[in-house]
Amino acid sequence: MSERVTLITGASAGIGAELARVFAARGHRVALVARRADRLAALASEIAAGGTAAPIVIACDLHAADASDKISAALAEAGAEVEYVVNNAGYGLFGRAAELDRADQLGIIDVNIRALTDLSLRFTDSLIRNRGGILNMGSVAGFLPGPGMATYYASKAYVLSFTEALRQELAPRGVRVTLVCPGPVPTEFQNRAGFKPGFDSAILNVPPAAVAKQAYHGLMANKRIVLPGLGIKMVPTALRFFPRGFILGAVGRFQLRKR
């Protein structure tokens, strides 16, 4: 019989690493996916030292068109069947879309949209058999237009729409589908995106470990959406009171200022 595992992408740092720790601490065997093999190996060793099953380590770049094929093959070789898919990997770039490198922005789509969609759909048969679930990493950015990070914001709007629709479709089959939408979180995301955290991060900041715990509990409770932190919980409701054009201008003024 195949062993059930939780597949976690972007597991080498930040929220992804914390999600791996949370799932492992609660008895799930985890399969860790990220580009940096050394970091994955260190995390796997840490988790195994805690007395849980040794994680499966899959060093893989989700930019690659065949990344999901490699992940699937590695799991098959390990005799593992996916019970939960955690699509955590993602990144953004700060700057005007017309001035940023086009290939880099298409890379955001590869990771944030294509890989997430592929992995969400690829293992649905095993998710249904195991009555498992999907946890997709969105963002509060998914509720907003995003001048200054246009491709990233748009990618998270896709994740929001896709996850909610998939939840509705898979619910009758016993599969939980949950979206987590954090605000600014102190991780390596900001450095890679090319900006320094501002006062918004100080106000809305929730530590990665807290985001991971809330996300896990939300998935197990079959919540539609998890909004970590009181400030973030207020954002979707507050947006209803402002015209879209006003929000567009406000986000643009905030994001396009020099950081």
Side-chain angles (χ1 to χ4, degrees):
M1 295 180 63
S2 298
E3 183 178 13
R4 293 180 293 179
V5 300
T6 295
L7 177 69
I8 304 175
T9 67
S12 62
I15 298 172
E18 295 297 343
L19 283 165
R21 294 183 177 106
V22 169
F23 273 88
R26 285 155 179 80
H28 302 264
R29 189 183 185 194
V30 293
L32 310 176
V33 177
R35 294 172 299 148
R36 295 171 290 191
D38 55 340
R39 289 201 180 188
L40 289 181
L43 179 60
S45 296
E46 174 196 322
I47 289 173
T52 59
I56 299 169
V57 173
I58 307 172
C60 181
D61 189 346
L62 293 179
H63 286 98
D66 63 348
S68 295
D69 293 334
K70 292 180 178 179
I71 293 168
S72 182
L75 292 172
E77 184 177 353
E81 181 172 67
V82 177
E83 181 180 16
Y84 293 99
V85 174
V86 180
N87 286 304
N88 167 76
Y91 72 100
L93 293 171
F94 176 72
R96 298 176 186 272
E99 298 171 0
L100 292 171
D101 183 85
R102 179 162 46 88
D104 288 343
Q105 293 183 83
L106 292 175
I108 294 174
I109 295 172
D110 286 336
V111 176
N112 296 14
I113 294 179
R114 182 187 52 77
L116 176 143
T117 304
D118 190 339
L119 293 174
S120 294
L121 300 177
R122 180 175 291 250
F123 300 108
T124 51
D125 287 346
S126 64
L127 298 180
I128 292 167
R129 278 195 301 273
N130 293 300
R131 299 185 71 82
I134 299 170
L135 178 66
N136 283 339
M137 184 60 63
S139 168
V140 70
F143 297 98
L144 300 160
M149 293 186 75
T151 306
Y152 173 74
Y153 274 57
S155 74
K156 292 304 181 179
Y158 172 90
V159 174
L160 169 61
S161 177
F162 175 72
T163 305
E164 289 189 320
L166 196 61
R167 173 184 174 84
Q168 188 72 15
E169 293 178 3
L170 292 178
R173 311 296 300 275
V175 177
R176 288 164 278 189
V177 181
T178 296
L179 176 70
V180 56
C181 290
V185 178
T187 67
E188 297 175 3
F189 175 90
Q190 288 88 352
N191 286 336
R192 187 175 185 186
F195 69 90
K196 295 180 180 179
F199 76 90
D200 57 323
S201 296
I203 294 172
L204 301 174
N205 175 13
V206 178
V211 173
K213 289 178 182 178
Q214 291 181 47
Y216 177 84
H217 290 302
L219 175 63
M220 294 303 137
N222 197 22
K223 289 187 176 181
R224 177 179 62 87
I225 187 167
V226 175
L227 295 160
L230 179 60
I232 295 302
K233 286 180 173 62
M234 295 164 49
V235 171
T237 300
L239 291 174
R240 299 173 188 170
F241 297 99
F242 299 96
R244 187 73 168 179
F246 174 85
I247 296 170
L248 179 62
V251 174
R253 287 190 296 273
F254 175 73
Q255 294 241 121
L256 292 173
R257 79 187 194 281
K258 184 177 180 180
R259 295 196 177 204

